[in-house]
Structures are given as structure tokens and as C-alpha cells.
Amino acid sequence: MYLIYGGFIAICLYGLYLVLSNLLDRYLVAKRDHTAALREQNEILKDIANAVKPSDDNYPAPPAV
């Protein structure tokens, strides 16, 4: 009888392992995709900041005396 209970518990634990393993894989894939999107967004924001930042070319030349 203990062998049957032990086998049932082993099957339940193995099923739990499979489910948790699948969920962890999905989480890691989503995390990797999110990280890649954040890196791309960071690069785009840097480009926007460089485009908006005033440079010396934007100021008119001083009048010649």
C-alpha cells in the first residue's frame, strides 16, 4: 500500500515539476523579450534627446563689428 502512495506522490511531484518548468520557460522568454524592448526604447530615447538638445549651431552668429 505504501508503494502505491509513494508512486502517486512521485507522479504528482513530477507533474508539478513539468508545469512549473513550463511556466518558468515562458517567464524567461517574456523577460528576455521585455529586456530587448527596453534596450531598443533606450536607444530611441537617446536619439531623441540628442536631436532635441541645443547645439552651438542653433545660435545665430554674433554681428560683425
Side-chain angles (χ1 to χ4, degrees), residues 25-44:
D25 288 341
R26 287 182 184 183
Y27 169 76
L28 292 176
V29 167
K31 181 94 170 152
R32 183 178 61 227
D33 292 344
H34 182 68
T35 303
L38 286 177
R39 287 185 181 145
E40 184 178 345
Q41 182 182 18
N42 188 24
E43 291 297 321
I44 292 171

Side-chain angles (χ1 to χ4, degrees), residues 7-29:
F8 178 73
I9 291 173
I11 289 172
C12 288
L13 289 177
Y14 183 68
L16 182 63
Y17 163 76
L18 290 178
V19 169
L20 291 178
S21 176
N22 191 11
L23 288 175
L24 179 63
D25 288 341
R26 287 182 184 183
Y27 169 76
L28 292 176
V29 167

Side-chain angles (χ1 to χ4, degrees), residues 48-60:
I48 292 172
N50 287 335
V52 172
K53 184 170 55 172
S55 64
D56 293 335
D57 298 339
N58 292 339
Y59 296 111

